[in-house]
Amino acid sequence: GEDVEQSLFLSVREGDSSVINCTYTDSSSTYLYWYKQEPGAGLQLLTYIFSNMDMKQDQRLTVLLNKKDKHLSLRIADTQTGDSAIYFCAESRRDNYGQNFVFGPGTRLSVLP
Amino acid sequence: DTGVSQDPRHKITKRGQNVTFRCDPISEHNRLYWYRQTLGQGPEFLTYFQNEAQLEKSRLLSDRFSAERPKGSFSTLEIQRTEQGDSAMYLCASSPEAGTDTQYFGPGTRLTVL
C-alpha cells in the first residue's frame, strides 16, 4: 500500500525507554521525520533523518532507520510525563504526481507515573 | 519571528456556506503547505506553494477547495459550499526552500460544519 503505518498506542512507565515504530513504503523517500502533537496544539518537529543515514541521536531521542525493511523507530530515553503526546512519523517522497508528504496515523504515548 | 500563525483558530459554519482561512508562514520561508487533520488521523496533504506558485495539489482535493499565495507571503485556503465532511483541523506549515524539507506547523484552524 501507499500508507505510512504506526501502532496506535503505547504505554510506558516514567523513567523507562519508549520505542515508537513506523513503516513506510517509498524507498525513494529523501527525509523521514518525527513530529510530536500535544492535546490542542500544533505539530512540533522533534527530529529528522536523511535516508542515507541509519542512526541519529539528539539528547534523549534516538532515531534508527532500516532502509532495507523501510522501518523507522524513535526511542525516547528516560521517558517523562511531559512526553505524553501523539507522535507522528512522516516521509518526504516523490511520486508520479510530484512531491508529496505523507504522515502516519500517529502513536499515542501514555506515560504512567 | 513567532512562527507560523493561522487565523481564525476556530470557525463554525453552516453547511453550504463558504469559509476562508489565512496562514502567515515564518518569514523568508519560501514553501507553504496546507494539510487537513481529522480526529485520530495524521495530517493529510492538500497542497503546497513555492513562493507564489502552487506546485502540488493532492489528487484527493475536491474542486470546492482553492488556495492562493498571491505575493509569496501569506496564503488563504477557501472552501466553497461546505459540507459536514469538511469538519476537521486545517493545518498550515512552512519550510525554507533548500535543505531538509523540514516543515514548521502552525496551531491550525478547527472547522466545524453544522
Side-chain angles (χ1 to χ4, degrees), chain B residues 20-81:
Chain B
T20 300
F21 310 140
R22 176 179 170 127
C23 171
D24 286 87
I26 294 171
S27 58
E28 299 176 357
H29 276 191
N30 301 89
R31 294 181 174 178
L32 186 148
Y33 312 81
W34 285 99
Y35 292 85
R36 175 172 60 195
Q37 185 179 24
T38 53
L39 197 63
Q41 302 294 320
E44 175 190 18
F45 172 75
L46 294 179
T47 188
Y48 99 91
F49 293 83
Q50 181 155 314
N51 300 312
E52 64 276 9
Q54 186 173 17
L55 295 189
E56 298 293 343
K57 189 174 177 181
S58 170
R59 52 193 180 276
L60 303 175
L61 199 61
S62 160
D63 289 343
R64 297 183 295 104
F65 287 69
S66 61
E68 294 183 343
R69 194 183 183 197
K71 297 181 180 178
S73 56
F74 74 91
S75 175
T76 57
L77 176 69
E78 182 183 17
I79 309 173
Q80 296 181 326
R81 304 181 303 281

Side-chain angles (χ1 to χ4, degrees), chain A residues 30-31 33 35 37 40-43 45 48 88 92 95 97-101 103-106, chain B residues 9 31 33 35 37 40-43 45 48 56 59 91 99-107:
Chain A
T30 50
Y31 289 96
Y33 313 86
Y35 284 85
Q37 188 175 37
L43 276 77
L45 174 69
Y48 64 89
F88 292 96
S92 171
D95 59 19
Y97 299 91
Q99 183 103 39
N100 199 358
F101 304 90
F103 283 77
Chain B
R9 295 291 305 275
R31 294 181 174 178
Y33 312 81
Y35 292 85
Q37 185 179 24
Q41 302 294 320
F45 172 75
Y48 99 91
E56 298 293 343
R59 52 193 180 276
L91 298 170
T100 63
D101 288 339
T102 301
Q103 298 174 42
Y104 298 86
F105 282 80

Side-chain angles (χ1 to χ4, degrees), chain A residues 2-10 19-25 32-37 43 46 70-76 85-91 93 101-109, chain B residues 37 40-44:
Chain A
E2 298 292 323
D3 293 340
V4 174
E5 296 181 347
Q6 300 178 239
S7 52
L8 297 183
F9 300 97
L10 176 66
V19 179
I20 303 171
N21 294 304
C22 167
T23 56
Y24 62 99
T25 58
L32 297 130
Y33 313 86
W34 284 103
Y35 284 85
K36 177 183 180 182
Q37 188 175 37
L43 276 77
L46 287 179
K70 299 188 184 66
H71 182 265
L72 183 74
S73 68
L74 174 70
R75 178 177 179 269
I76 305 173
I86 301 176
Y87 290 81
F88 292 96
C89 164
E91 61 172 337
R93 60 161 82 150
F101 304 90
V102 181
F103 283 77
T107 299
R108 183 180 294 276
L109 174 64
Chain B
Q37 185 179 24
Q41 302 294 320
E44 175 190 18

